[in-house]
Amino acid sequence: MMIKVWFSILVLSLSYCYFIASKIPKGVFRLFSLLPIIYLFTILPLYFSSPFLTGLSGLVLTWLANFKFLLFAFEFDHQNHPPPNSFLHFIFLTCLPIKIKQNNNPSSENPKIPSKLTLNYPTKVVFLAAFVCSLDYRGNLHPKILLLIYCLILYLLLDVVFGVCNYATSALLGIELESPSDEPYFSTSLQDFWGRRWNLMVTNVLRHTVYKPVRSCVGNVLGGRRWDPLTAVIGLMSTFLVSGLMHELIFYYITRGTPTWEVTWFFVLHGACLAVEFGLKTLSTGKFRLHWAVSGPLTVGFVVATAMWLFFPPVVRPGVDVKVIEELKIFVDSMKRLLYQN
């Protein structure tokens, strides 16, 4: 019943945005007209008792949908929003972590990496089920091994959930969508991981709502192309700071506890390391580059190690991870039944 009520509220809210707010000229006035909906989407996760639904609604609605509203308020972007005559497209593209596929999608940093090891969605569901079931023996697992399994589950879970959204939307609307990720375990650098492979829906939204506006504003203040490296670093650090704060908010929704700011520091750390990596690449002018067999494990190892250090403890410490795992078992069972039926 609660799901039906909130679904009705979402439809009414999006109807307001599409039929009323879209008639207001873009800019501050349109943003003011959207503030009630942004507020509604911000408090909605607080009404869920399920940690899984709370985190998912926080990511999809409080973060992605609200940031898409900011784009809708100031620049009507046809890559992220549908044409005015398609209300159904507007609902799907606003409320789901999806993006219409573009022909000029940037390619991977290193095309020589073997592609035969990529995983399809049924395989990912099987791996997700195996890792979730392995947690039945969590009492016998070393804490570091447990956190490593959490890293794998997070990747597989997001890819499966976002992949289901892509599949359902493509089937209903007949449009081709971007992949939610691009095999992040093949990343050869932090730039490759964060910019081209991991959680591309969030990356795209942050690029248009934070990185580009901040870089443009700082560039206008400083003036001159000689400041481009500095504006890029400021835009980069601002993007990772906003990402950290949004993750902190989602963690608050899930735990309902005082923020520890560890997850924010996780993203600030990665932003700083990415800025250093970018500077080193600029100074070397591409003459020095590690082989992917070396840079790949170093990159993935750094991401995993820092996630185990700063990202997961805020939810493991209060025991929320146990509740999430129990809910994931139900989700995985439903995915397996769906696969067997097909």
Side-chain angles (χ1 to χ4, degrees):
M1 183 64 182
M2 187 69 175
I3 298 296
K4 292 182 179 179
V5 171
W6 280 113
F7 178 77
S8 302
I9 293 175
L10 287 176
V11 172
L12 291 174
S13 300
L14 293 172
S15 299
Y16 164 81
C17 296
Y18 185 80
F19 292 108
I20 298 179
S22 62
K23 306 303 179 183
I24 301 174
K26 63 182 179 180
V28 176
F29 289 108
R30 183 185 288 185
L31 176 62
F32 277 128
S33 72
L34 293 171
L35 287 181
I37 309 303
I38 292 175
Y39 172 74
L40 174 65
F41 279 26
T42 301
I43 66 171
L44 188 148
L46 295 172
Y47 290 87
F48 289 105
S49 58
S50 161
F52 178 69
L53 290 179
T54 300
L56 187 61
S57 63
L59 171 61
V60 174
L61 298 179
T62 304
W63 186 352
L64 294 182
N66 278 345
F67 276 45
K68 289 177 183 178
F69 284 142
L70 294 178
L71 287 176
F72 180 55
F74 291 103
E75 55 168 333
F76 195 84
D77 185 357
H78 287 272
Q79 294 184 13
N80 297 283
H81 296 280
N85 62 351
S86 179
F87 177 55
L88 188 60
H89 284 200
F90 185 86
I91 291 179
F92 276 82
L93 292 175
T94 301
C95 282
L96 295 179
I98 57 177
K99 179 179 180 291
I100 297 176
K101 188 171 186 178
Q102 303 298 311
N103 293 328
N104 59 347
N105 187 45
S107 60
S108 173
E109 185 177 83
N110 194 337
K112 295 182 180 180
I113 295 176
S115 59
K116 293 182 180 181
L117 296 177
T118 55
L119 304 176
N120 55 30
Y121 281 105
T123 304
K124 289 176 181 178
V125 171
V126 172
F127 275 114
L128 178 60
F131 287 127
V132 170
C133 292
S134 71
L135 296 178
D136 290 338
Y137 307 96
R138 57 182 294 123
N140 299 323
L141 296 175
H142 189 278
K144 299 298 183 184
I145 300 297
L146 183 63
L147 291 177
L148 178 59
I149 293 175
Y150 283 174
C151 291
L152 297 171
I153 288 176
L154 178 62
Y155 157 62
L156 293 169
L157 178 64
L158 286 179
D159 224 38
V160 170
V161 171
F162 286 10
V164 170
C165 291
N166 271 21
Y167 178 80
T169 304
S170 297
L172 289 172
L173 303 183
I175 56 178
E176 190 174 3
L177 301 172
E178 296 280 3
S179 174
S181 67
D182 184 16
E183 315 305 335
Y185 45 83
F186 282 151
S187 300
T188 57
S189 66
L190 290 177
Q191 182 182 5
D192 190 29
F193 179 85
W194 291 111
R196 303 183 183 95
R197 292 187 179 275
W198 172 252
N199 210 347
L200 299 179
M201 304 303 104
V202 172
T203 298
N204 177 68
V205 169
L206 286 173
R207 181 180 294 115
H208 290 285
T209 56
V210 182
Y211 179 77
K212 288 184 176 180
V214 168
R215 189 173 181 183
S216 177
C217 290
V218 174
N220 291 336
V221 172
L222 297 178
R225 294 185 60 85
R226 68 180 183 276
W227 298 106
D228 281 356
L230 178 60
T231 61
V233 170
I234 295 176
L236 178 69
M237 292 303 300
S238 300
T239 302
F240 274 85
L241 176 60
V242 170
S243 180
L245 293 174
M246 293 308 299
H247 279 85
E248 203 77 57
L249 178 61
I250 294 173
F251 278 31
Y252 169 75
Y253 287 150
I254 296 174
T255 63
R256 308 295 167 92
T258 304
T260 63
W261 306 110
E262 290 166 281
V263 68
T264 301
W265 281 113
F266 169 81
F267 284 96
V268 170
L269 172 64
H270 275 261
C273 292
L274 184 53
V276 172
E277 180 184 274
F278 178 76
L280 292 175
K281 286 183 178 179
T282 302
L283 292 175
S284 65
T285 61
K287 295 179 180 179
F288 176 74
R289 175 174 292 185
L290 294 174
H291 190 273
W292 64 264
V294 177
S295 61
L298 287 176
T299 299
V300 176
F302 178 75
V303 173
V304 171
T306 51
M308 293 166 61
W309 172 35
L310 293 171
F311 189 88
F312 287 103
V315 292
V316 173
R317 201 176 295 121
V320 176
D321 58 315
V322 179
K323 298 179 182 178
V324 173
I325 293 302
E326 292 302 318
E327 295 178 358
L328 283 183
K329 291 179 181 178
I330 300 175
F331 173 77
V332 168
D333 288 340
S334 64
M335 288 294 99
K336 288 193 294 185
R337 286 196 297 269
L338 182 62
L339 289 175
Y340 291 151
Q341 289 175 359
N342 294 332

